[in-house]
Amino acid sequence: MEPSTHHPEATTKHSTSALSNLETKPSPDAVLPAVRLRVGLFYTCLVDMMRPEIGFATVRLLEDAGCQVEVPVGQTCCGQPGFNAGELAITRDLALQWLQSFEMYDYVVVPSGSCAGMIRKHYPALFRHDPDLNIRIQRLSDRTWELSSFLVEVCGMQKPPGRFQGAITYHDACSGLRELGVQHQPRQLLQSMPGLELKEMQDSRACCGFGGTFAVKYGAISAAIADEKIAQIKQSGASCVVMGDLGCMLHLEGRLRRCGDQQTRVTHLAEVLAGDSQALASEPKLTRGED
């Protein structure tokens, strides 16, 4: 992976500087694209500040798929909190910063259906009165993908590099599912992993109760929805729940721990697919695949 050389400040952002030193090699089972794709990683605010290991796992997966991965230093928030609060001027400024940071790449990949959905479904409308910017934003948003969709539909990944021993259940995060149609892609990748048993929970498509600022404005309702989701997770019989959005992860993990559950593991799809041994320190055991 290489830091971008097309930005005037061509260094990786300090808070994720370890990304620039991460070196991986495609696994022997990787099916590499005929032309190496140049991918800009939009790692998201939450991943940057709360769980940078998700960013590292994302880089491993993209490089295993044969992509040249770069992390533009100029990237910032996608603007979704401001957008939901009606701060459209601020959101437009952030969208322009995103455009400047990523326009030179073949694709932009995001380990979050929520942020990818914000870009693909809402950015173009922010510039509907500026035809030139609208065209540029639309072209780049069309090249912006949620991680699992990109791996399956663009890279044609058949077998992720990770190995997982144990049972997991999968939660369909709302934005990825309803805005981007992310549902079969993560399951296809998970089910191709040796040793992994996918136990579907009831109503996997139901909201976890996070909803960004919804969880702040309507805390009691948000907690009640989370409790329903947690009950469905436990009824599945799996000791680990996997999802593709860190916001949902933090919400459910926080609720589990506050309710006294220290055992149920909550992890990101990228960590499982990449086989990051530090993502799960104990059973179910997650290790880097060896062939």
Side-chain angles (χ1 to χ4, degrees), residues 53-54 57 61 249 266-276 279 286:
E53 55 267 30
I54 294 171
L61 289 168
M249 283 178 59
V266 183
T267 192
H268 194 278
L269 176 69
E271 296 174 298
V272 176
L273 297 179
D276 186 346
L286 185 63

Side-chain angles (χ1 to χ4, degrees), residues 1-271:
M1 189 212 64
E2 305 166 6
S4 172
T5 57
H6 287 71
H7 192 277
E9 299 173 280
T11 56
T12 305
K13 189 173 183 289
H14 66 86
S15 58
T16 52
S17 59
L19 284 169
S20 63
N21 298 318
L22 181 61
E23 294 183 1
T24 61
K25 294 181 180 180
S27 71
D29 297 317
V31 178
L32 304 182
V35 178
R36 196 177 189 203
L37 302 176
R38 185 164 175 249
V39 171
L41 173 61
F42 184 57
Y43 47 70
T44 81
C45 299
L46 283 180
V47 168
D48 185 24
M49 297 298 165
M50 303 296 292
R51 299 284 177 86
E53 55 267 30
I54 294 171
F56 304 151
T58 299
V59 171
R60 293 188 191 100
L61 289 168
L62 292 171
E63 291 190 337
D64 191 82
C67 299
Q68 175 183 329
V69 185
E70 300 178 19
V71 183
V73 67
Q75 63 181 292
T76 58
C77 178
C78 71
Q80 185 175 173
F83 179 79
N84 291 338
E87 297 287 350
L88 300 187
I90 294 174
T91 309
R92 278 191 287 268
D93 288 343
L94 292 170
L96 289 174
Q97 179 67 21
W98 169 81
L99 182 67
Q100 177 184 349
S101 299
F102 288 96
E103 194 170 17
M104 72 286 293
Y105 294 105
D106 297 325
Y107 290 96
V108 181
V109 175
V110 192
S112 163
S114 178
C115 297
M118 174 66 199
I119 292 168
R120 292 196 63 149
K121 296 299 182 181
H122 302 293
Y123 270 14
L126 291 171
F127 299 93
R128 61 185 180 275
H129 300 306
D130 188 327
D132 292 337
L133 275 175
N134 180 267
I135 291 172
R136 291 172 62 195
I137 289 281
Q138 184 68 64
R139 286 175 176 169
L140 186 54
S141 65
D142 287 344
R143 305 199 307 273
T144 300
W145 290 74
E146 179 273 337
L147 175 62
S148 68
S149 295
F150 182 78
L151 293 174
V152 171
E153 298 177 26
V154 178
C155 297
M157 178 176 280
Q158 299 296 317
K159 185 179 179 182
R163 298 289 187 273
F164 189 102
Q165 295 295 324
I168 66 106
T169 190
Y170 189 83
H171 164 64
D172 294 292
C174 291
S175 294
L177 174 68
R178 293 172 174 82
E179 291 188 325
L180 302 176
V182 177
Q183 185 175 25
H184 72 88
Q185 302 94 331
R187 288 172 171 82
Q188 177 177 321
L189 294 169
L190 289 168
Q191 290 174 326
S192 69
M193 298 180 67
L196 185 147
E197 179 185 4
L198 178 60
K199 293 186 174 182
E200 292 285 6
M201 72 176 84
Q202 182 181 2
D203 296 332
S204 65
R205 295 159 53 101
C207 180
C208 72
F210 177 54
T213 55
F214 175 86
V216 177
K217 294 179 180 179
Y218 305 100
I221 298 174
S222 174
I225 297 173
D227 288 342
E228 290 183 359
K229 176 61 67 171
I230 288 169
Q232 293 160 359
I233 293 169
K234 293 183 176 181
Q235 288 169 5
S236 75
S239 59
C240 176
V241 58
V242 177
M243 59 203 72
D245 259 296
L246 181 51
C248 301
M249 283 178 59
L250 295 174
H251 181 63
L252 287 174
E253 187 172 37
R255 188 62 180 167
L256 280 162
R257 305 300 179 251
R258 283 193 293 273
C259 292
D261 185 334
Q262 303 298 322
Q263 303 302 316
T264 303
R265 297 190 175 277
V266 183
T267 192
H268 194 278
L269 176 69
E271 296 174 298

